[in-house]
Amino acid sequence: MQILDGLLISQHIKDALKLQVAQLVTEGKKVPHLAAVLVGNNGASETYVNAKVKACAETGFKSTLIRLEDTISENRLLNVIGELNTDIDVDGILVQLPLPKHISDEKVINAIDISKDVDGFHPISIGKMVQGISTFVPATPHGIMLLLEHYKIDTRGMHAVVVGRSNIVGRPISILLSSNTNPGNCTVTICHSQTKNLRELCLQADLIVAALGKPEFLTGDMVKENAIIIDVGITRVPDASKKSGFALKGDVKFSEVAPKCSYITPVPGGVGPMTIAALMKNTFKACIDKN
Ligand code: GUN
């Protein structure tokens, strides 16, 4: 069993971006600028956004963090997006999800200028991705593909089972894994809460992406020998022994699954840091494409 080390590979990606940013500076060009919008004070969202802002600082990107009260109206949030759209210094806009219930994710995502849609959530970005046209690919699926690519895992012809059908991870990774690319070229099954024979399907899988958000859902008896396991879950589970008061748990029961598989991503240190690296790559692309 080999660990797919997202922490290490994301560092390689950020190091490479840092050199490219230094080159832009040498040429007197502008550096990439990410604007992150955080509504409310959800603890996990704060952690993710702070990690994204920190990654910007590490790689020489400019970043702006816009914090808004969770009582903000949808219209005021749409106005903030409108201002970021027209700000010529801003290359990428990220609105951290989830948003408060009174705000429509769809309206907010649709309001982002597609040339700045570094999360790749806009329907036009998704449509392009489906058709294999160059675009911003959502950061988590993009990061997973970069990780498979880095470890030179030949997924051609594999049966991939994706557990979870969210717009952010499950659906886009199913498209990417089935695309005529390398990695890619998988035969993909998407499972969800209504799937009847989930265990049987997982047992057939050469590659499983667990992205349903249920801690330790995927157990050893659901995985065939030598499968590749990508764990997207990262849930805060109360743990009095930790200073923070919680432990981070993936969707995979690591102690049971790891001994059976060929490759596995750990939690933390697997998909999470790769998501950030992919976001940085998207923001760099937004900056370069503009010039
Ligand atoms: N919430 C969970 N994952 C993501 C992500 O990749 N981007 C944004 N904006 N919000 C998220």
Side-chain angles (χ1 to χ4, degrees):
M1 181 273 294
Q2 188 176 356
I3 294 279
L4 298 172
D5 189 343
L7 207 53
L8 181 71
I9 310 315
S10 65
Q11 195 58 54
H12 290 334
I13 292 170
K14 287 187 287 183
D15 289 346
L17 284 171
K18 190 174 176 175
L19 289 177
Q20 287 178 281
V21 172
Q23 183 64 29
L24 290 178
V25 173
T26 308
E27 292 167 6
K29 295 184 177 154
K30 89 181 271 307
V31 301
H33 180 180
L34 175 71
V37 180
L38 175 62
V39 183
N41 42 22
N42 174 296
S45 291
E46 292 231 8
T47 307
Y48 300 145
V49 170
N50 287 339
K52 291 168 186 178
V53 168
K54 184 166 158 251
C56 284
E58 279 169 23
T59 35
F61 288 23
K62 191 171 162 187
S63 70
T64 302
L65 171 57
I66 299 167
R67 303 187 64 117
L68 302 167
E69 296 289 325
D70 61 0
T71 51
I72 189 172
S73 70
E74 187 177 84
N75 264 340
R76 271 197 51 218
L77 178 57
L78 291 173
N79 284 339
V80 171
I81 308 278
E83 280 166 23
L84 294 172
N85 282 342
T86 52
D87 184 337
I88 54 165
D89 195 60
V90 169
D91 300 300
I93 303 170
L94 173 152
V95 181
Q96 189 65 29
L97 303 178
L99 289 168
K101 289 217 166 21
H102 66 279
I103 298 176
S104 153
D105 290 4
E106 189 188 326
K107 274 194 194 159
V108 171
I109 289 166
N110 275 287
I112 297 172
D113 186 307
I114 54 159
S115 69
K116 301 188 180 190
D117 177 35
V118 288
D119 253 334
F121 294 163
H122 192 289
I124 293 177
S125 305
I126 298 284
K128 285 184 170 179
M129 183 196 70
V130 170
Q131 296 192 343
I133 299 166
S134 170
T135 187
F136 299 113
V137 173
T140 300
H142 188 187
I144 293 170
M145 298 303 277
L146 291 169
L147 199 56
L148 293 170
E149 185 184 334
H150 180 90
Y151 281 91
K152 299 191 170 48
I153 296 174
D154 187 357
T155 59
R156 202 174 359 166
M158 283 187 179
H159 180 203
V161 169
V162 176
V163 188
R165 57 181 160 184
S166 70
N167 287 342
I168 294 181
V169 186
R171 214 169 278 283
I173 193 67
S174 72
I175 301 289
L176 295 174
L177 286 172
S178 67
S179 297
N180 185 5
T181 53
N182 189 22
N185 279 308
C186 293
T187 303
V188 178
T189 301
I190 311 187
C191 298
H192 45 73
S193 54
Q194 305 303 314
T195 299
K196 285 199 173 120
N197 48 348
L198 182 76
R199 183 170 168 273
E200 287 68 27
L201 288 165
C202 286
L203 275 169
Q204 290 169 24
D206 303 305
L207 189 162
I208 299 177
V209 179
L212 69 161
K214 284 197 180 165
E216 300 190 321
F217 176 85
L218 194 81
T219 46
D221 62 320
M222 298 169 82
V223 174
K224 87 172 172 190
E225 290 289 333
N226 293 321
I228 299 163
I229 308 293
I230 307 294
D231 188 351
V232 181
I234 184 153
T235 307
R236 292 177 168 199
V237 176
D239 183 339
S241 72
K242 304 271 181 199
K243 215 170 86 184
S244 60
F246 61 82
L248 294 174
K249 292 274 180 213
D251 287 350
V252 176
K253 190 151 192 178
F254 190 89
S255 58
E256 288 182 14
V257 173
K260 293 186 84 174
C261 61
S262 55
Y263 296 95
I264 188 165
T265 61
V267 175
V271 173
M274 290 304 297
T275 295
I276 295 180
L279 172 72
M280 305 302 289
K281 275 180 85 82
N282 283 353
T283 306
F284 189 84
K285 174 177 154 57
C287 176
I288 294 299
D289 285 356
K290 202 162 77 180
N291 296 310

